[in-house]
Amino acid sequence: KSLFPYEIIKGQGWGFFVNIETKEMTKITLGKQVHRLSETPDKRGRHLVSAENQVILVPQELLEDIGYN
């Protein structure tokens, strides 16, 4: 069961986000469906998000709700 609705990272092309496991920047396709893992953002306004088999930090303003699939 999903706690949060599915979302997409706004934009087209590629974006670079911090991978929390490797502590490095990782290239992610924008516009793809992702799943938010954190309820509240960190002190910089970023949420933990599962995308392309990675856990990354994405700014809240880049996440767009698309509902439950």
Side-chain angles (χ1 to χ4, degrees):
K1 184 175 179 179
S2 179
L3 296 176
F4 302 103
Y6 287 102
E7 297 173 310
I8 60 169
I9 301 175
K10 295 178 187 177
Q12 295 179 350
W14 299 97
F16 290 89
F17 302 95
V18 176
N19 180 318
I20 65 160
E21 295 168 352
T22 64
K23 307 289 191 259
E24 296 177 350
M25 297 298 281
T26 186
K27 187 165 112 172
I28 299 292
T29 306
L30 300 176
K32 282 196 146 191
Q33 181 175 301
V34 297
H35 187 76
R36 184 165 38 111
L37 303 173
S38 62
E39 187 172 345
T40 57
D42 66 4
K43 62 184 175 183
R44 291 186 173 180
R46 302 173 298 181
H47 280 284
L48 285 174
V49 170
S50 174
E52 299 179 4
N53 298 320
Q54 302 178 62
V55 178
I56 58 174
L57 289 168
V58 178
Q60 186 169 356
E61 62 270 7
L62 291 181
L63 294 173
E64 183 176 336
D65 182 19
I66 60 170
Y68 292 96
N69 292 339

